[in-house]
Amino acid sequence: MAGPRLLERARAPRHLQFNPFVLGGYRPASSGAGCLRSLFYLHNELGNIYTHGLPLVGFALLVPGALPRAPPAVAWLGLGHYVACVAPPLASVLYHLFMSHRAGAGLYRRLLALDLCGVALVNTLGAVPIIYCALPCRPGPCGAALGAYGALCGLALWGAVGAGSRAGRLAAFAGPALFRLAVVGLRGAVGLGPPAALAPYARMEALALLGGLVNVARVPERWRPGAFDYWANSHQLMHLLVALGILQLHWGVAADLHWAARHPCPTA
Ligand SMILES: [Zn+2]
């Protein structure tokens, strides 16, 4: 499909000029239908849309079949995990697809907040099985740990929405990440939950950190401004690393939930 005439950076809406090394391929401001049509022609957000759009379809279709259905407590954990896997790519697709809407900077800020909410959801819900399997069948301590972690995630979201830079947004999520690493380390040291879940969780943290750093560094487009406007720029690489990170989370959680289904808590 032939799209509208694309814009150089200097002619793009100012709120879309956030990457000084992406020099062209900007969509002009358009209606919602115009944003949807941009799914079908090449512009500088197309790669960002599809690097989360395709994983979104994959997670939405494949995650449920990999999780145990019963008992009910495990099924609820599975439902939360499904939301954790689907929310970030869904929010990201909406952000990248509609950021050129003619409603302008106000809508853009709301879409950016939505994108960050997706990150916050995978942070929060994604870690629930990790913590649950560290304190199985101990509702008091488990509830306290989940409450503390939830408070950390709330602070992280507040800090990320208020941060004025990519580095600030990345740093805002350091607290929950350190908490998760401490729980995974404790599980490995004490032997809590299935050992098979720990390596995917460690890989997930490494991929998320690497993705965040690539996005902050704006590599490789920093080295050749204009050469990565459409493909293989830092944001697309970050998207791919995040999608791989969610896949690792899923493998860890699937191992945890199958373990939890095989080890039901004794009824008093
Ligand atoms: Zn993105």
Side-chain angles (χ1 to χ4, degrees):
M1 178 191 287
R5 187 187 173 99
L6 299 177
L7 307 174
E8 296 174 6
R9 181 168 180 267
R11 292 182 174 275
R14 185 169 291 276
H15 58 276
L16 300 183
Q17 297 180 16
F18 42 77
N19 190 336
F21 308 113
V22 172
L23 305 184
Y26 291 86
R27 289 167 294 176
S30 70
S31 64
C35 293
L36 284 172
R37 275 195 296 276
S38 75
L39 282 167
F40 305 108
Y41 62 85
L42 183 62
H43 53 85
N44 68 13
E45 289 292 340
L46 190 71
N48 289 330
I49 294 167
Y50 279 97
T51 48
H52 269 170
L54 296 177
L56 169 64
V57 174
F59 292 139
L61 294 179
L62 299 178
V63 164
L67 302 177
R69 292 285 177 276
V74 176
W76 277 109
L77 289 171
L79 184 62
H81 172 63
Y82 184 72
V83 175
C85 290
V86 167
L90 176 60
S92 171
V93 165
L94 294 174
Y95 165 68
H96 288 287
L97 185 56
F98 291 104
M99 63 162 58
S100 61
H101 195 282
R102 62 186 170 212
L107 177 66
Y108 174 80
R109 280 193 295 275
R110 288 198 289 279
L111 287 168
L112 179 60
L114 177 71
D115 194 26
L116 292 171
C117 283
V119 177
L121 267 176
V122 70
N123 260 274
T124 312
L125 295 175
V128 172
I130 303 175
I131 296 170
Y132 177 86
C133 286
L135 295 161
C137 306
R138 299 182 65 191
C142 187
L146 287 171
Y149 182 75
L152 263 182
C153 288
L155 280 175
L157 179 60
W158 182 67
V161 170
S165 66
R166 296 176 322 287
R169 288 195 280 275
L170 177 62
F173 288 103
L178 290 173
F179 191 106
R180 289 193 303 274
L181 279 172
V183 172
V184 170
L186 180 73
R187 281 180 50 171
V190 182
L192 297 162
L198 301 181
Y201 288 148
R203 287 196 290 266
M204 170 193 72
E205 300 294 351
L207 287 164
L209 178 62
L210 182 61
L213 291 175
V214 165
N215 193 44
V216 169
R218 285 180 170 156
V219 168
E221 66 268 24
R222 171 184 298 277
W223 297 328
R224 285 191 66 189
F228 299 94
D229 288 357
Y230 295 95
W231 300 112
N233 57 54
S234 61
H235 203 86
Q236 289 174 21
L237 298 180
M238 183 268 281
H239 274 201
L240 292 172
L241 290 164
V242 165
L244 288 173
I246 294 174
L247 185 62
Q248 296 295 332
L249 170 71
H250 169 63
W251 284 341
V253 169
D256 269 353
L257 296 192
H258 281 284
W259 177 88
R262 289 193 306 271
H263 296 82
C265 297
T267 47

